[in-house]
Amino acid sequence: MCFLCLWDSRADSEHYTKKIWPPRERFVPGECNVEHAPLVNPSKIILPPLHIKLGLVKNFVKKLKPDGKGMQHLRNKFPRLSDAKLKEGVFVGPQIRKLINDNDFEKSLQPLEKAAWKSIKNVVSGFLGNHKADNYQELITKLMDSFQKMGVRQSFKIHLLDSHLDFFPENLGAVSDEQGERFHQDIAAMERRYQGRWDEGMLSDHCWFLMRENKDYEFNRKSNFAKNKGTKHMA
């Protein structure tokens, strides 16, 4: 569901061709895919540029051939990622930055894939940052055209770029979601440690991890390990 218009996510034949959809004027549960009344006014919703970037790369990678050179390059570059995550394009911010700066990845792509990847990089540098390029609308139009030729399915995040450019803030670099990205990375490490046993213990472990990282936090109990160790050496 789009909170700005009546975009139909299942109307694949109209994606990339129909840019203007009827505006969404009300949120009535049970009508137009609305399940619950919204908790936030749609006009106050902030679009994090990092998540838009992750959505672009995710849908692009999902259209790569599983046995192609591009996918093989991803397997070699991120050996710790499972094959299931690679096929679904599940990456985090630092991995996306590494991929954008990797010229060998671009060389491993087919012509249509290479054109779409170049368009992604141009949109990232010319729109999803502190400064908008003078031709940012043209860059996004080329991205949509390359995605359509490649057969990339239009997700909600791609739809926002295609139909709601005026909703994005003037300076996307002013919106930071580093804390959310940091949480994803920390929880990913916790998941590996707990190996699927996700319960309240994992969440409490994460909370204590944050408290231990806070140097200004004073604990009620302090360890005398260093003091006792020094006394032992003196003895």
Side-chain angles (χ1 to χ4, degrees), residues 120-154:
I120 291 177
K121 293 170 63 175
N122 291 334
V123 170
V124 168
S125 60
F127 181 71
L128 300 174
N130 290 318
H131 304 286
K132 289 183 180 179
D134 295 335
N135 62 335
Y136 72 92
Q137 293 181 343
E138 180 183 348
L139 297 178
I140 293 175
T141 300
K142 289 182 178 180
L143 175 63
M144 297 300 113
D145 292 341
S146 59
F147 270 15
Q148 183 180 10
K149 293 177 181 178
M150 190 176 167
V152 176
R153 192 174 188 278
Q154 189 177 79

Side-chain angles (χ1 to χ4, degrees), residues 85 184 186-205:
K85 284 189 174 182
H184 282 299
D186 291 343
I187 286 298
M190 292 289 178
E191 288 177 354
R192 290 192 295 269
R193 183 185 306 172
Y194 282 82
Q195 297 181 354
R197 295 179 288 107
W198 305 340
D199 52 15
E200 61 275 6
M202 185 179 74
L203 183 60
S204 61
D205 192 1

Side-chain angles (χ1 to χ4, degrees), residues 25-224:
E25 298 178 349
R26 60 178 187 171
F27 295 84
V28 179
E31 296 183 6
C32 300
N33 296 328
V34 178
E35 295 185 1
H36 306 283
L39 299 176
V40 181
N41 190 323
S43 63
K44 296 183 179 180
I45 292 178
I46 298 176
L47 301 178
L50 175 59
H51 282 263
I52 301 294
K53 188 189 309 181
L54 294 177
L56 293 177
V57 175
K58 176 181 179 179
N59 286 276
F60 167 78
V61 172
K62 288 173 69 173
K63 289 303 295 183
L64 295 180
K65 294 182 179 179
D67 55 348
K69 293 183 179 179
M71 186 60 70
Q72 186 59 42
H73 183 85
L74 293 177
R75 293 190 181 97
N76 297 333
K77 190 170 185 64
F78 305 110
R80 294 187 177 183
L81 279 182
S82 65
D83 200 57
K85 284 189 174 182
L86 285 175
K87 290 181 180 178
E88 291 298 319
V90 180
F91 298 101
V92 295
Q95 294 169 337
I96 295 297
R97 287 193 290 270
K98 290 181 180 179
L99 204 56
I100 288 178
N101 296 326
D102 186 1
N103 295 326
D104 292 333
F105 175 64
E106 183 175 320
K107 295 177 182 178
S108 65
L109 300 176
Q110 298 296 324
L112 285 178
E113 299 170 348
K114 184 180 296 185
W117 180 245
K118 287 183 178 179
S119 295
I120 291 177
K121 293 170 63 175
N122 291 334
V123 170
V124 168
S125 60
F127 181 71
L128 300 174
N130 290 318
H131 304 286
K132 289 183 180 179
D134 295 335
N135 62 335
Y136 72 92
Q137 293 181 343
E138 180 183 348
L139 297 178
I140 293 175
T141 300
K142 289 182 178 180
L143 175 63
M144 297 300 113
D145 292 341
S146 59
F147 270 15
Q148 183 180 10
K149 293 177 181 178
M150 190 176 167
V152 176
R153 192 174 188 278
Q154 189 177 79
S155 64
F156 170 61
K157 295 174 182 178
I158 298 176
H159 160 71
L160 290 174
L161 285 173
D162 193 25
S163 301
H164 301 295
L165 271 181
D166 55 342
F167 188 78
F168 284 83
E170 188 64 28
N171 181 12
L172 275 78
V175 180
S176 175
D177 51 354
E178 292 182 2
Q179 295 298 329
E181 181 64 20
R182 173 68 183 275
F183 174 77
H184 282 299
Q185 295 181 30
D186 291 343
I187 286 298
M190 292 289 178
E191 288 177 354
R192 290 192 295 269
R193 183 185 306 172
Y194 282 82
Q195 297 181 354
R197 295 179 288 107
W198 305 340
D199 52 15
E200 61 275 6
M202 185 179 74
L203 183 60
S204 61
D205 192 1
H206 174 67
C207 294
W208 277 110
F209 170 76
L210 296 178
M211 293 172 66
R212 288 193 297 268
E213 275 201 336
N214 188 359
K215 298 180 181 179
D216 297 330
Y217 187 85
E218 294 186 2
F219 295 92
N220 294 328
R221 298 177 61 183
K222 296 183 179 181
S223 174
N224 294 323

